[in-house]
């Protein structure tokens, strides 16, 4: 037990939510052996800082955007990029298209690695660039592997749905439809939602708990790749994501 009880309780609360998903405050108090008043106080403070979100209609508390930002901060460090570099290089050699790796940062994705194919046009997905997660294949692959309550916390209203090209989901119900399809097929896609004339396919990379830590994607000029070929690109991308999952000690979903 820590010599700082509040810090210990906070750490245990966040860890418990990361394992279980959204719960009522009373259930959290029981699971952690804390007084209900203490639990409510901790949840109030954590919500003020974005570490948890209160899902009022369901009377549940789940992890918030700040918790996701901290969680992905580790994934953005060198070990993930170092493990991914040879995987992306082999994928680019195999499919002849550019590939990249992105991590979730709030309701955006942050690109941490890009492997450009020879004689392919530069893309907007340079390392360090952020894009709206709901518009990108990488982001959709990650979101599809998250609990629905966490997706709702990341996209609470229409203002969260940034528009780039006039395409893509503009409300949560539309995003959910895309995520259901991604879960069904095992890969996500976007077609001109980020850049007109370009499309992407992606799969999630997961940690030892099956939680998504990154999205691995291939992007291509739509005119160069017939739509009937997209599933083959997606299958190669999914195999690369599975390989990277193994390399980082993760567990496939």
């Amino acid at each position: 037990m820590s010599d700082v009880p509040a810090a210990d309780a906070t750490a245990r609360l966040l860890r418990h939510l990361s394992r279980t998903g959204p719960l009522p405050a009373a259930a959290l108090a029981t699971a952690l052996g804390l007084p209900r008043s203490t639990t409510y106080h901790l949840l109030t403070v954590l919500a003020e800082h974005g570490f948890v979100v209160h899902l009022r209609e369901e009377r549940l508390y789940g992890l918030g955007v700040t918790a996701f930002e901290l969680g992905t901060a580790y994934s953005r460090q060198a070990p993930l990029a170092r493990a991914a570099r040879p995987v992306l290089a082999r994928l680019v050699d195999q499919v002849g298209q550019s590939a990249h790796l992105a991590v979730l940062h709030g309701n955006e994705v942050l690109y941490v690695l890009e492997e450009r194919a020879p004689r392919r046009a530069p893309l907007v997905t340079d390392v360090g660039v952020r894009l709206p997660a709901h518009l990108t294949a990488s982001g959709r692959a990650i979101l599809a592997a998250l609990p629905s309550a966490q997706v709702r916390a990341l996209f609470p209203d229409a203002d969260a749905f940034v528009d780039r090209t006039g395409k893509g989901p503009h409300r949560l119900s539309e995003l959910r439809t895309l995520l259901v399809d991604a879960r069904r097929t095992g890969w996500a896609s976007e077609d001109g939602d980020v850049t007109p004339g370009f499309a992407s396919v992606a799969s999630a990379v997961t940690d030892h708990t099956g939680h998504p830590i990154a999205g691995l994607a291939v992007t291509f000029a739509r005119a160069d790749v017939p739509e009937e070929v997209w599933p083959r690109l997606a299958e190669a991308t999914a195999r690369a994501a599975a390989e990277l999952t193994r390399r980082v000690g993760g567990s496939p979903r």
Side-chain angles (χ1 to χ4, degrees):
M1 179 70 69
S2 168
D3 292 333
V4 186
D8 178 79
T10 300
R12 290 194 295 123
L13 188 152
L14 291 173
R15 184 178 297 114
H16 192 72
L17 282 177
S18 73
R19 293 170 177 168
T20 65
L23 291 172
L28 279 167
T30 300
L32 300 175
L34 296 173
R36 290 196 181 188
S37 59
T38 299
T39 303
Y40 277 109
H41 177 71
L42 286 175
L43 289 169
T44 298
V45 173
L46 289 169
E48 289 173 355
H49 291 278
F51 284 97
V52 301
V53 61
H54 186 197
L55 306 172
R56 297 183 184 279
E57 294 82 1
E58 301 171 70
R59 298 181 180 180
L60 301 175
Y61 288 86
L63 292 181
V65 171
T66 303
F68 279 109
E69 290 176 347
L70 283 181
T72 57
Y74 174 79
S75 301
R76 293 197 300 270
Q77 303 305 311
L80 179 62
R82 186 177 298 114
R85 194 173 298 280
V87 176
L88 260 65
R90 285 193 292 272
L91 177 61
V92 169
D93 287 344
Q94 178 186 353
V95 302
Q97 304 290 345
S98 297
H100 46 257
L101 188 75
V103 297
L104 195 65
H105 192 274
N107 61 9
E108 298 178 315
V109 288
L110 173 66
Y111 290 90
V112 297
L113 186 63
E114 181 184 30
E115 188 75 22
R116 189 180 302 172
R119 297 179 296 282
R120 298 298 177 187
L123 305 171
V124 298
T125 53
D126 284 335
V127 173
V129 168
R130 296 186 190 186
L131 289 173
H134 66 286
L135 295 180
T136 68
S138 297
R140 292 172 186 174
I142 296 170
L143 294 172
L146 290 176
S148 59
Q150 300 299 348
V151 175
R152 184 167 65 251
L154 293 170
F155 296 91
D157 51 44
D159 291 339
F161 289 88
V162 178
D163 185 11
R164 278 180 62 92
T165 66
K167 301 185 67 175
H170 294 88
R171 55 182 62 89
L172 185 58
S173 59
E174 296 173 353
L175 176 59
R176 280 176 169 161
T177 298
L178 293 173
L179 301 185
V180 167
D181 189 56
R183 285 191 288 271
R184 178 181 59 80
T185 61
W187 50 276
S189 65
E190 64 85 14
D191 183 4
D193 298 24
V194 175
T195 304
F198 285 84
S200 302
V201 293
S203 287
V205 178
T206 52
D207 66 13
H208 66 286
T209 68
H211 183 81
I213 58 173
L216 194 157
V218 167
T219 297
F220 47 91
R222 202 185 192 289
D224 295 342
V225 182
E227 203 161 333
E228 58 268 23
V229 177
W230 292 17
R232 292 208 298 273
L233 277 180
E235 289 167 6
T237 303
R239 288 193 296 271
E243 180 185 351
L244 181 54
T245 292
R246 291 191 295 271
R247 287 174 66 94
V248 299
S251 174
R253 291 181 62 82

